[in-house]
């Protein structure tokens, strides 16, 4: 240690997008340790960070060294979490502070919450009884101890009425726990009866959990085969061992039925983690995780960064889903990072899907992952019959999208008292609005994208930046009034057509526009289960996870949508989506039927869906990727440059291109304007780096960018393993 260092020094990582760790003195009076959450001075402000490591080799002069101000009253960030943050930052080529910010996203949780005050009825009556006071006392007499705000809200009065009753002795104040308690799950509560195939798969997963060592299992089962019940048994084994479990779901709206099944199995609800939670709930749940009181967490991809005290199992449900990939902020794939997190913690991870990703299938085939298959539906339910409607032979007609064969099948299904689902993966009323006089198309002023009409809200919306406006009365190009025309269907327009074809039927739409929270999803699911919806019209939100026993007919309006997706996974994603959609039909005793409308009935994806030949499709897809050297046989990374001035972005992109890496196993494509060349007012250029699988692509990019200063008016985003090529 340098002779100039007189006090113990540590390095503190701050949740910032710039810089890295900073050296601080650790006063002996604070008992600072690695992993502690601390407050430190930074410039003229106070910042919260985490003590990351000792700074025995610090070269900072003593007179420039500042003291840590306080150690916060919260458990330490576990070593596994710190190692995970380091790994993710290195792999994604992002600042560690940006990754840390995802792990400590609830600053309020660093401090314990003060106890609440509740009020209960004493039996005494106030001297003067009013109608408001009477309502409060009736509720207090029936409902036990409640906070003043809860009593006031139920009674429809102000809190001053409640506190006035307390002053009169009719209510007495009682200390309540600071937060709603977390009820632990009971692994022995009510195990499901499993089929022979489910039992074999569950036993294999339980064995991995009991070993308490790193392992990856791909749980590959057809839709309706009961994968959830199988991995519930692995969760039970994890609870039995006294460890925490994490379940990732791609869309939190899927939790409605999942939570009901979970509670049926474990007798309590899990701790949730997603964007729909209120700040108070997020605070409670984050603190419960780091203290080890949250035994099971279910959440969106960000739950992976929660500071688990003793994590022992991760389940990634619907592991193939593209929504596990985060494009903005720190770009990462939660499925892949879940495997890394399990490796760091030395515990098992389960990847579950009816249509596994090609990457996971290849890892299973090469023995890197164990492969558990559920080839049949639970309870003997049969897979649905799939019939292609060739739209060249059965055109629906002008401004129509439901073909005659599908219409007749829907009428027959409804006549039998069964439910119908019509699937179209387009939100809104119409994807394009143009002037019928001059052809001018309404475009977002901030993005190179068309505005989507949402007739229910009477708005035009950009699905990339969120810009909204009303439909103009006249065309800005030719001046024609009332000339704008909707082109193509969204689910609102499809619903309009269904109402005309099936008058009097109960029709409902399900999309992220109409169902935006788990609570809304639960209400929707309840309506379906009670038969209050006869025709369900939805986007990809309805394609996966839901179990509706009386839903026997699925009509896929445009099966070709997505086949020309412009990226290497277009065919794979379309196959997965269509497979999941078809899997909604006939999930119990009633036989299901699927009508798949297509202009390309001979396309390999369509043929694979019709004949249910997943292995043939994936073999064909794998061969194409291998020939092209694309993932999983090669590696990709994207560099996206963006700025307000198009000429500045283009100039820097071409300057960067002159120093692009070259080699036999490395290809750099670009620079080129991105397909979406402007988003949120920023012009975008892209590079795509392609190399062999055995090359460290981060090292290649690092050497390329070394010494290159990015201009202040330009933003550079690096995306390792990109999923979005727009």
């Amino acid at each position: 240690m340098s002779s100039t260092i007189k006090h113990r020094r540590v390095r503190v990582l701050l949740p910032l997008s710039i810089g890295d760790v900073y050296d601080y003195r650790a006063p002996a009076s604070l008992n600072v340790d690695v992993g502690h959450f601390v407050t430190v001075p930074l410039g003229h402000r106070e910042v919260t960070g985490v003590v990351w490591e000792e700074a025995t080799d610090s070269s900072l002069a003593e007179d420039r060294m500042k003291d840590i101000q306080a150690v916060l009253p919260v458990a330490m960030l576990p070593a596994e979490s710190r190692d995970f943050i380091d790994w993710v930052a290195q792999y994604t080529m992002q600042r560690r502070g940006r990754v840390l910010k995802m792990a400590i996203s609830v600053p309020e949780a660093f401090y314990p919450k003060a106890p609440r005050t509740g009020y209960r009825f004493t039996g005494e009556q106030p001297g003067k009884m009013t109608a408001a006071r009477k309502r409060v006392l009736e509720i207090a007499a029936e409902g036990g101890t409640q906070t003043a705000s809860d009593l006031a809200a139920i009674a429809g009065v102000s809190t001053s009425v409640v506190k006035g009753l307390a002053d009169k002795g009719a209510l007495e104040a009682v200390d309540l726990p600071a937060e709603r308690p977390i009820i632990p799950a009971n692994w022995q509560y009510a195990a499901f009866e499993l089929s022979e195939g489910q039992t074999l798969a569950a036993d294999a997963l339980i064995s991995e959990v009991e070993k308490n060592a790193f392992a990856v299992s791909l749980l590959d089962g057809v839709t309706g085969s009961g994968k959830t019940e199988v991995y519930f048994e692995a969760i039970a084994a994890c609870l039995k061992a006294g460890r925490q479990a994490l379940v990732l779901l791609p869309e939190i709206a899927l939790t409605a039925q999942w939570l009901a099944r979970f509670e049926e199995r474990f007798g309590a609800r899990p701790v949730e983690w997603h964007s729909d939670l209120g700040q108070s709930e997020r605070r409670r749940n984050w603190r419960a995780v780091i203290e080890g009181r949250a035994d099971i967490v279910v959440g969106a991809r960000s739950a992976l960064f929660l500071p688990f005290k003793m994590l022992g199992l991760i389940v990634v449900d619907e592991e193939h889903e593209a929504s596990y990939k985060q494009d903005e902020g720190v770009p990462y794939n939660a499925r892949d990072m879940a495997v890394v997190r399990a490796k760091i913690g030395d515990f098992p991870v389960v990847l579950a899907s009816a249509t596994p990703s090609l990457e996971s299938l290849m890892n299973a085939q090469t023995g890197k992952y164990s492969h558990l298959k559920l080839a049949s539906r639970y309870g003997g339910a049969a897979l649905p019959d799939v019939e292609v409607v060739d739209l060249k032979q059965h055109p629906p007609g002008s401004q129509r999208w439901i073909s005659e064969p599908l219409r007749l099948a829907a009428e027959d299904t409804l006549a039998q008292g069964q439910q119908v689902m019509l699937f179209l993966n387009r939100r809104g009323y119409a994807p394009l609005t143009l002037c019928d006089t001059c052809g001018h198309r309404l475009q977002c002023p901030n993005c190179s994208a068309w505005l989507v009409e949402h007739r229910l809200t009477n708005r035009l919306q950009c699905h990339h930046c969120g810009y909204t406006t009303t439909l103009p009365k006249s065309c800005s190009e030719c001046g024609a009034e009332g000339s704008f025309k909707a082109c193509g269907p969204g689910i609102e327009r499809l619903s309009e057509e269904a109402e005309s074809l099936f008058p009097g039927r109960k029709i409902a739409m399900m999309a992220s526009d109409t169902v935006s929270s788990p609570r809304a999803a639960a209400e929707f699911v309840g309506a379906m289960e009670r038969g209050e919806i006869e025709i369900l019209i939805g986007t990809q939100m309805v394609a996966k996870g839901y179990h509706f026993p009386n839903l026997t007919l699925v009509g896929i309006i445009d099966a070709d949508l997505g086949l020309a997706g412009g990226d290497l996974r277009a065919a794979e994603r379309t196959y997965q989506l269509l497979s999941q959609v078809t899997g909604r039909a006939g999930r119990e005793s009633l036989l299901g039927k699927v009508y798949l409308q297509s202009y390309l009935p001979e396309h390999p994806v369509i043929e694979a869906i019709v004949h249910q030949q997943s292995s043939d499709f994936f073999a064909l897809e794998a061969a194409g990727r291998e020939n092209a050297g694309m993932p999983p046989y090669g590696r990709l990374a994207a560099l996206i440059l963006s700025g307000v001035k198009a000429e500045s972005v283009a100039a820097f992109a071409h300057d960067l291109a002159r120093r692009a890496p070259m080699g036999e196993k490395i290809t750099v494509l670009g620079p080129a304007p991105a397909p979406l060349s402007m988003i949120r007012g920023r012009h975008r250029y892209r590079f795509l780096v392609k190399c062999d699988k055995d090359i460290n692509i981060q090292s290649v990019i690092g050497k390329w960018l070394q010494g290159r200063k990015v201009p202040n008016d330009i933003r550079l985003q690096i995306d390792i393993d990109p999923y979005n090529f727009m």
Side-chain angles (χ1 to χ4, degrees):
M1 185 182 295
S2 170
S3 60
T4 61
I5 297 180
K6 299 178 181 178
H7 303 280
R8 178 179 168 227
R9 298 178 174 189
V10 294
R11 293 198 168 99
V12 177
L13 182 62
L14 304 176
L16 306 174
S17 298
I18 57 173
D20 195 69
V21 289
Y22 295 84
D23 291 357
Y24 288 92
R25 267 193 304 260
S29 60
L30 293 180
N31 295 319
V32 174
D33 203 352
V34 173
H36 270 143
F37 288 89
V38 295
T39 55
V40 295
L42 185 70
H44 298 292
R45 56 186 176 137
E46 184 180 285
V47 184
T48 298
V50 177
V51 179
W52 215 250
E53 59 193 7
E54 298 288 340
T56 54
D57 59 346
S58 174
S59 60
L60 195 62
E62 190 72 24
D63 60 355
R64 297 186 59 199
M65 182 68 63
K66 295 181 179 180
D67 286 347
I68 289 175
Q69 294 172 327
V71 174
L72 301 184
V74 64
M76 292 192 293
L77 186 67
E80 289 179 12
S81 291
R82 301 196 304 273
D83 291 344
F84 183 52
I85 288 168
D86 283 340
W87 198 99
V88 171
Q90 183 179 23
Y91 187 84
T92 60
M93 302 186 72
Q94 302 291 320
R95 296 283 188 184
R96 285 190 291 182
R98 299 187 78 194
V99 185
L100 174 64
K101 191 173 184 179
M102 296 193 294
I104 58 172
S105 58
V106 194
E108 298 89 344
F110 300 148
Y111 302 90
K113 197 171 182 181
R116 299 175 299 158
T117 299
Y119 293 88
R120 66 186 177 196
F121 185 40
T122 62
E124 298 290 330
Q125 297 292 329
K128 180 182 178 182
M129 182 68 74
T130 65
R133 285 180 169 184
K134 184 178 180 182
R135 288 199 303 273
V136 171
L137 292 179
E138 287 174 350
I139 293 164
E142 294 175 1
T145 305
Q146 298 181 70
T147 64
S149 57
D150 286 345
L151 274 172
I154 298 170
V157 300
S158 68
T159 55
S160 62
V161 177
V162 177
K163 292 175 181 177
L165 286 168
D167 293 338
K168 298 294 183 182
L171 297 175
E172 65 176 343
V174 180
D175 285 341
L176 295 175
E179 295 172 311
R180 182 170 55 86
I182 290 175
I183 300 172
N186 180 359
W187 65 272
Q188 296 174 298
Y189 185 73
F192 293 122
E193 183 178 340
L194 303 182
S195 67
E196 183 179 351
Q198 286 177 309
T199 301
L200 289 172
D203 288 346
L205 295 181
I206 291 169
S207 175
E208 297 292 1
V209 172
E210 290 175 342
K211 291 175 187 174
N212 195 26
F214 173 67
V216 186
S217 301
L218 176 61
L219 182 57
D220 177 2
V222 298
T223 53
S225 59
K227 295 180 290 297
T228 304
E229 286 77 9
V230 169
Y231 70 64
F232 274 178
E233 296 312 300
I235 292 173
C238 183
L239 290 181
K240 182 181 178 182
R243 298 190 293 272
Q244 294 169 296
L246 168 64
V247 180
L248 296 180
L249 296 176
E251 291 185 25
I252 209 60
L254 294 179
T255 58
Q257 286 187 329
W258 189 95
L259 286 171
R261 291 156 81 185
F262 182 94
E263 198 163 358
E264 183 183 349
R265 171 62 181 87
F266 295 104
R269 290 172 71 92
V271 169
E272 296 179 49
W273 189 261
H274 49 81
S275 58
D276 194 56
L277 292 179
Q279 198 63 15
S280 177
E281 194 85 346
R282 289 173 68 83
R283 183 205 171 283
R284 180 195 78 138
N285 293 355
W286 188 93
R287 199 163 176 105
V289 169
I290 200 170
E291 292 173 355
R293 294 183 290 111
D295 47 13
I296 302 179
V297 177
V298 59
R301 62 188 179 221
S302 61
L304 192 59
F305 291 89
L306 288 171
F308 289 94
K309 183 178 181 180
M310 45 190 177
L311 191 56
L313 175 69
I314 298 177
V315 177
V316 185
D317 205 349
E318 308 287 0
E319 66 87 33
H320 65 279
E321 270 294 319
S323 55
Y324 281 125
K325 180 66 165 67
Q326 175 166 295
D327 294 318
E328 297 187 351
V330 176
Y332 69 94
N333 188 314
R335 177 199 65 210
D336 299 342
M337 295 303 106
V339 174
V340 172
R341 179 68 180 85
K343 177 74 173 173
I344 289 171
D346 199 25
F347 56 76
V349 59
V350 179
L351 310 179
S353 177
T355 54
S357 62
L358 183 56
E359 286 84 354
S360 295
L361 282 172
M362 295 305 299
N363 282 327
Q365 290 173 13
T366 57
K368 196 173 178 181
Y369 299 171
S370 63
H371 198 174
L372 307 175
K373 295 184 179 181
L374 298 174
S376 59
R377 285 184 158 183
Y378 180 77
L383 289 169
D385 293 330
V386 182
E387 181 174 319
V388 175
V389 177
D390 188 340
L391 291 175
K392 297 188 295 293
Q393 298 179 14
H394 300 280
S398 177
Q399 302 301 302
R400 293 285 183 179
W401 290 273
I402 299 174
S403 66
E404 186 65 8
L406 175 56
R407 184 189 69 80
L408 293 173
E411 284 189 346
D412 184 55
T413 301
L414 294 168
Q416 295 179 56
Q418 297 164 12
Q419 292 167 311
V420 174
M421 184 172 88
L422 301 178
F423 172 78
L424 177 64
N425 201 23
R426 273 199 185 127
R427 291 182 285 154
Y429 185 81
L432 175 65
T433 303
L434 55 76
C435 174
D436 206 20
T437 302
C438 71
H440 172 63
R441 302 180 178 192
L442 294 180
Q443 181 174 326
C444 175
N446 307 314
C447 306
S448 50
W450 310 126
L451 291 173
V452 176
E453 181 180 358
H454 288 257
R455 197 160 286 188
L456 287 178
T457 56
N458 196 30
R459 306 290 288 175
L460 295 170
Q461 182 177 353
C462 174
H463 286 173
H464 297 282
C465 72
Y467 170 84
T468 62
T469 186
T470 55
L471 186 70
K473 294 181 179 179
S474 61
C475 176
S476 61
E477 293 296 307
C478 69
E481 294 190 2
S483 62
F484 285 110
K485 171 182 170 183
C487 296
I491 62 165
E492 291 179 15
R493 198 171 195 184
L494 184 62
S495 177
E496 193 177 85
E497 180 181 358
E499 287 172 359
S500 67
L501 291 177
F502 310 106
R505 295 294 182 178
K506 292 173 282 188
I507 300 171
M509 292 184 294
M510 189 173 187
S512 57
D513 303 299
T514 58
V515 180
S516 57
S517 69
R519 181 178 298 175
E523 292 172 357
F524 205 99
V525 167
M528 277 292 289
E529 292 174 339
R530 294 188 297 270
E532 295 169 7
I533 299 170
E534 294 174 289
I535 302 175
L536 171 61
I537 299 175
T539 62
Q540 63 178 354
M541 180 176 273
V542 302
K544 48 199 174 284
Y546 292 111
H547 179 86
F548 301 126
N550 200 40
L551 176 61
T552 59
L553 177 67
V554 169
I556 299 173
I557 300 303
D558 188 351
D560 309 331
L561 189 63
L563 286 175
D567 66 67
L568 68 101
R569 294 182 178 85
E572 179 187 3
R573 286 179 180 172
T574 302
Y575 174 80
Q576 289 164 338
L577 182 58
L578 296 183
S579 293
Q580 295 281 347
V581 175
T582 60
R584 297 313 103 203
R587 293 174 65 93
E588 289 198 359
S589 58
L590 299 172
L591 183 63
K593 184 82 174 178
V594 177
Y595 280 73
L596 191 153
Q597 297 186 163
S598 171
Y599 286 102
L600 303 168
E602 69 287 346
H603 193 283
V605 168
I606 306 300
E607 290 191 341
I609 295 293
V610 172
H611 301 295
Q612 300 177 17
Q613 297 172 331
S614 61
S615 58
D616 290 351
F617 169 75
F618 278 107
L620 182 66
E621 184 74 5
R625 301 262 195 99
E626 187 173 20
N627 290 336
M630 289 292 187
Y633 301 96
R635 301 205 61 198
L636 293 177
L639 276 69
I640 303 103
L641 300 168
S642 65
V644 176
K645 297 179 181 177
E647 59 276 10
S648 298
V649 180
F652 181 68
H654 287 99
D655 182 50
L656 206 56
R658 284 192 282 272
R659 299 182 55 190
M662 293 184 293
E664 185 181 341
K665 296 182 177 182
I666 302 172
T667 303
V668 177
L669 305 173
L676 278 171
S677 60
M678 187 171 71
I679 294 182
R680 299 184 184 92
R682 299 182 68 86
H683 299 273
R684 306 166 70 245
Y685 271 71
R686 292 182 65 105
F687 289 92
L688 187 66
V689 183
K690 175 175 171 286
C691 66
D692 283 11
K693 197 170 184 179
D694 57 353
I695 289 179
N696 185 323
I697 201 166
Q698 290 90 343
S699 177
V700 170
I701 295 171
K703 291 176 182 176
W704 178 17
L705 299 177
Q706 192 171 14
R708 296 296 302 169
K709 177 170 171 46
V710 180
N712 293 334
D713 62 341
I714 292 176
R715 186 182 303 151
L716 168 62
Q717 174 74 304
I718 300 172
D719 186 359
I720 306 295
D721 308 324
Y723 265 52
N724 183 353
F725 296 85
M726 300 302 284

